[in-house]
Each structure stands twice: as structure tokens, then as C-alpha cells.
């Protein structure tokens, strides 16, 4: 009988993979806290309508990639493909729309049924930041600066470039939409079936198409810049000014778009050339209409999400953790004392281990095998005097240390 393997598109995080994953999440959590973000932990699955409403009933994610199922009560549930919708649902469900702003950090697994490839899995992980309530461009700049600081703390900011664009306000997008309809109608013979359907419902969605023929048409499509209202242009100008004050370098990319109606103003991506075609490591923007989609009041918001797997691939080599301390009892009388020493070291924050059986030689062999940096040897003669032999397993130096002083000496 063959051994069972992980499901396609999933993987186990063990050893170095786990260390890199935790380094990304722990670093992001620490930096986000300095910006006043509180961590929210929302369910891994939601009512399917949470995502169908917010991602668009006809989007590729909803139609082709969501893991949706009926539970035993007949409810349609979906494993979350992203978490911004879940955060906005939680805001409304918990009556927090009257307690704004809410500044949120999250970290956890997401699920999409797509072809597994480098840095992309069917179960993948994201970190994210959401500022819900502020309508000012300073909020957009602050959330971008938070993302930049996380990348810097991970040592990968130099591997990425921030690209920004504006999607304008509602009036800007309405004028742009008319220009896009005219352009795509003139090129409808070159569009895919999916994009022809989108031309009737939401032509901005064509700009997100991954179809190669569509992308050739999109390359010549009108840009929003020519259709910005005075207010939208002023918002974008303030964003760039604030980014400069925060010391965040950026380039403008007018082809960054978001196809859904609730997006507006800021759109941005941190991209890298180190991961091939999968170059976006963090992306976000302003989504002032999303909370309203969840049944809440009109509420401005801005945020981003970043793939943990992709960030982990960019990390410089993870520093090795300090080796453990091996506690080595010699003789039956020392066994009980060894447990006291183990507990004291662990309370002091020192990683300590002991072998479950074996003579002195075998226990020392195991200490070397687990990469222990030191061994505490407890014999009956030492215990009678309240001391232990502390051996540095790298240098071979050995000295006698009082039991009460072991933790301080090892720290």
C-alpha cells in the first residue's frame, strides 16, 4: 500500500520552510503593531455570498477557483479565497461601523483552485492590512508605508519596486468607462468570449483579463489619466506627496487596474523580478464601496494583501536558531533532578531537551545529533554538592556550575 501524499496544490511546512514562513508572519505582525493595527482572526470559511458579492459573480475566482460546498444544513459555504471581504463582513457583523477608524492586520491560509506553480498553491497564505474609515489620501500613504516597512524589516525591500496608479473617483471612472466601451466595441472581433460578455456588464473587468489576445487589445486601451476630475487628480497628487514625506520610493504604472466597481482612487503593487512571471508580492488599493456591499453604511477603506510563500522565497538565509541545551542525568537518582533542571531552564526561555533513556555515552551522542550547544551532566556526586558539570559541546570546555546559576550562565 503506497504512502499517502498531500493533496495537489498543498504542502507541509517543516524545518527551513516553516522557519521562513514564521519569519514573514512574525515580522509583519510586529511592524503592523507599530502602525496601530490590531490583529483580527476571521473564519476560514464564510457564507458564499460574502465572496460572490464582492469578487463579482462572473469573475474567474468566483466561477472557476472557489472551493464552495453545501454543508449538512444546505447552506452554501466557501473556503476564503482572500480575506478583505471577511474583514469587512466582520466589521458589519460585529457592529463596528460606528467605531471607526478600524486598523486591522490579519494572517492566515486562503484557498483557490488553480494550477499550482512557483510560489502559488491551492492552499496559500497571506498577510494583510486594512484601514477602514479614513477617506483621506494620508491613509493610503500610511498603509503603503506599512507594507514597505514590512518588506524592509524582512530584508527584501531592495528586491521590490512599488508601482502606483489612480482609478479616480466615481465621475472619473464613468467617463473612462464610456471611453473603454467605445474602444473595446471597435476591437470586439479580437476579444475573447469572456471579455465580450464583460463588455456588456463591466468593461473595466476586461483590463484584468489574462487571455493573451485580450492583453494585446488592452495594451492600446484609453488610460484614466485623461478622464480624471479635478478632485480625483488632487487626491492622487496628495498621495504622491505623502509617500515622498514617508520616504517611500515609487514609479507610476497606468496599467495597474482593479475591475470591480467598489475600487477607486489608489491602486498599487510591490513587484519583483526575482520570481519570474509571478512578480507581485504585495498588492492593494482603496475600496470605498466594499463595506456597503456587506450590508453596512458607505465606508471608505484602503488596504493590501501579500503572499507569504512569495515573500518567503525572497528572504535572505534564515539565521540558525541557537542550539538546545541537553540535560544528561547519570544514574537513577539524577533522573528526578534532571526534570527540575529542565523545567527551570524552560521557564527562563532556554530551549532544553533530554533523552528518554540510555547510558551516558548514548545520551551524549544524542546531544550531538540534535545540535546541542551545551550539555548539563548531572551525577550523584554533583547533586550532593548542588552543582552540575556544564560542557560546551563546541569547544569541549567543561566547568562546574551551581544548579541555581545554570540558567543565568547559559543565557
Amino acid at each position: 500500500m503506497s504512502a499517502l501524499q498531500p493533496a495537489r496544490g498543498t504542502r507541509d511546512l517543516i524545518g527551513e520552510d516553516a522557519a521562513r514562513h514564521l519569519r514573514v508572519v512574525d515580522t509583519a505582525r510586529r511592524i503592523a503593531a507599530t502602525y496601530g493595527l490590531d490583529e483580527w482572526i476571521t473564519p476560514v470559511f464564510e457564507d458564499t455570498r460574502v465572496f460572490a458579492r464582492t469578487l463579482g459573480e462572473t469573475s474567474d475566482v468566483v466561477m472557476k477557483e472557489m472551493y464552495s460546498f453545501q454543508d449538512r444544513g444546505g447552506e452554501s459555504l466557501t473556503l476564503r479565497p482572500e480575506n478583505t471581504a471577511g474583514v469587512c463582513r466582520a466589521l458589519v457583523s460585529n457592529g463596528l461601523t460606528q467605531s471607526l477608524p478600524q486598523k486591522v492586520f490579519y494572517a492566515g491560509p486562503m484557498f483557490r483552485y488553480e494550477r499550482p506553480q512557483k510560489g502559488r498553491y491551492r492552499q496559500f497564505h497571506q498577510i494583510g492590512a486594512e484601514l477602514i474609515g479614513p477617506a483621506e489620501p494620508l491613509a493610503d500613504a500610511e498603509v503603503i508605508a506599512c507594507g514597505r516597512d514590512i518588506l524592509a524589516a524582512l530584508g527584501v525591500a531592495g528586491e521590490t519596486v512599488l508601482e502606483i496608479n489612480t482609478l479616480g473617483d466615481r465621475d472619473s471612472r464613468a467617463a473612462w468607462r464610456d471611453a473603454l466601451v467605445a474602444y473595446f466595441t471597435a476591437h470586439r472581433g479580437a476579444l475573447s468570449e469572456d471579455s465580450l460578455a464583460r463588455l456588456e456588464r463591466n468593461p473595466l473587468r476586461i483590463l484584468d483579463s489574462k487571455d493573451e489576445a485580450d492583453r494585446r487589445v488592452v495594451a492600446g486601451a484609453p488610460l484614466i489619466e485623461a478622464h480624471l476630475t479635478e478632485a480625483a487628480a488632487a487626491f492622487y497628487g496628495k498621495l504622491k506627496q505623502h509617500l515622498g514625506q514617508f520616504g517611500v520610493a515609487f514609479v507610476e504604472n497606468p496599467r495597474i487596474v482593479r475591475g470591480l466597481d467598489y475600487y477607486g482612487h489608489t491602486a498599487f503593487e510591490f513587484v519583483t523580478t526575482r520570481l519570474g512571471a509571478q512578480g507581485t508580492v504585495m498588492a492593494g488599493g482603496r475600496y470605498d464601496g466594499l463595506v456597503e456591499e456587506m450590508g453596512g453604511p458607505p465606508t471608505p477603506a484602503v488596504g493590501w494583501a501579500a503572499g507569504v510563500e512569495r515573500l518567503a522565497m525572497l528572504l535572505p538565509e534564515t539565521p540558525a536558531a541557537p542550539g538546545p541545551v541537553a540535560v544528561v542525568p547519570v544514574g537513577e537518582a539524577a533522573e528526578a533532578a534532571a526534570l527540575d533542571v529542565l523545567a527551570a531552564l524552560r521557564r527562563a526561555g532556554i530551549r532544553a531537551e533530554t533523552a528518554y533513556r540510555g547510558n551516558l555515552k548514548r545520551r551524549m551522542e544524542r546531544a550531538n545529533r540534535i545540535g546541542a550547544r551545551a550539555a548539563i551532566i548531572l551525577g550523584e556526586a554533583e547533586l550532593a554538592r548542588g552543582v552540575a558539570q556544564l560542557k560546551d559541546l563546541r569547544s569541549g570546555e567543561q566547568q562546574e556550575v551551581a544548579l541555581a546559576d545554570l540558567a543565568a550562565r547559559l543565557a
Side-chain angles (χ1 to χ4, degrees):
M1 184 175 178
S2 60
L4 293 173
Q5 299 297 319
R8 186 167 186 242
T10 68
R11 64 173 187 151
D12 303 307
L13 295 172
I14 297 171
E16 176 69 9
D17 289 336
R20 286 174 171 267
H21 180 99
L22 292 172
R23 185 174 165 195
V24 171
V25 174
D26 291 346
T27 300
R29 182 177 285 127
R30 174 173 58 82
I31 299 300
T34 69
Y35 278 78
L37 274 65
D38 295 320
E39 187 162 0
W40 288 14
I41 303 171
T42 60
V44 169
F45 59 86
E46 298 267 4
D47 185 313
T48 297
R49 291 172 295 180
V50 168
F51 305 112
R53 275 189 197 176
T54 58
L55 296 175
E57 298 274 2
T58 60
S59 73
D60 284 349
V61 174
V62 171
M63 295 182 69
K64 303 175 184 177
E65 297 175 5
M66 292 203 318
Y67 281 93
S68 298
F69 59 96
Q70 279 199 338
D71 68 5
R72 294 184 180 184
E75 299 291 331
S76 178
L77 302 175
T78 295
L79 296 177
R80 62 187 183 196
E82 55 87 37
N83 205 32
T84 300
V87 167
C88 289
R89 193 273 312 147
L91 179 90
V92 175
S93 300
N94 290 279
L96 296 174
T97 57
Q98 301 303 311
S99 303
L100 300 176
Q102 293 289 333
K103 303 173 78 172
V104 182
F105 170 79
Y106 65 81
M110 312 294 158
F111 305 85
R112 293 191 185 190
Y113 186 89
E114 55 185 346
R115 184 171 62 85
Q117 51 192 294
K118 185 178 181 180
R120 177 174 288 179
Y121 300 89
R122 290 177 175 174
Q123 176 178 307
F124 58 101
H125 300 79
Q126 286 185 338
I127 51 173
E130 316 289 356
L131 269 59
I132 305 174
E136 295 75 17
L138 176 57
D140 305 50
E142 191 173 39
V143 81
I144 292 172
C146 176
R148 187 280 311 270
D149 287 353
I150 289 170
L151 297 177
L154 289 169
V156 302
E159 306 285 345
T160 64
V161 173
L162 170 62
E163 299 181 351
I164 66 170
N165 190 27
T166 178
L167 304 177
D169 54 18
R170 190 178 297 274
D171 289 342
S172 304
R173 289 194 303 281
W176 186 34
R177 184 186 191 280
D178 291 343
L180 288 172
V181 168
Y183 174 80
F184 287 129
T185 299
H187 293 81
R188 60 183 303 130
L191 293 176
S192 67
E193 278 190 38
D194 285 345
S195 287
L196 286 173
R198 289 167 181 158
L199 180 58
E200 305 300 324
R201 289 189 291 264
N202 184 356
L204 267 67
R205 293 292 318 287
I206 300 175
L207 302 173
D208 286 333
S209 175
K210 297 179 178 66
D211 182 272
E212 284 302 320
D214 288 343
R215 291 172 76 89
R216 286 193 290 273
V217 176
V218 166
L223 301 176
I224 194 172
E225 185 178 13
H227 306 282
L228 289 179
T229 64
E230 187 175 335
F235 188 105
Y236 190 41
K238 273 289 189 184
L239 168 68
K240 292 186 282 187
Q241 178 185 328
H242 292 321
L243 288 175
Q245 290 173 305
F246 279 131
V248 179
F250 62 87
V251 298
E252 296 181 69
N253 179 354
R255 292 299 178 189
I256 297 177
V257 295
R258 303 285 183 263
L260 296 169
D261 288 340
Y262 56 77
Y263 284 108
H265 289 299
T266 308
F268 66 91
E269 297 180 359
F270 285 90
V271 299
T272 181
T273 58
R274 279 191 49 198
L275 299 178
Q278 303 302 319
T280 301
V281 296
M282 181 182 288
R286 179 162 283 278
Y287 51 93
D288 289 352
L290 184 53
V291 173
E292 194 172 2
E293 288 280 345
M294 293 296 167
T299 306
V302 61
W304 53 256
V308 175
E309 282 80 2
R310 294 184 192 178
L311 288 174
M313 291 166 65
L314 290 176
L315 287 181
E317 187 173 347
T318 304
V325 173
V327 179
V328 181
V330 181
E332 287 187 23
E335 294 277 355
L339 301 186
D340 292 335
V341 171
L342 276 172
L345 294 177
R346 289 166 178 168
R347 283 195 297 270
I350 297 169
R351 180 178 170 183
E353 299 187 42
T354 190
Y356 298 108
R357 63 176 181 273
N359 57 24
L360 174 62
K361 180 182 177 183
R362 288 190 175 180
R363 289 175 188 260
M364 292 300 291
E365 286 173 348
R366 183 178 185 279
N368 287 319
R369 195 162 58 248
I370 64 173
R373 59 190 172 99
I376 296 172
I377 303 169
L378 296 166
E380 293 182 13
E382 284 84 5
L383 288 175
R385 292 184 288 114
V387 300
Q389 297 296 326
L390 178 60
K391 183 172 184 177
D392 185 323
L393 295 181
R394 294 184 176 89
S395 68
E397 180 185 347
Q398 184 168 311
Q399 56 186 303
E400 196 170 85
V401 178
L403 294 176
D405 295 338
L406 281 170
R409 181 68 62 88
L410 286 163

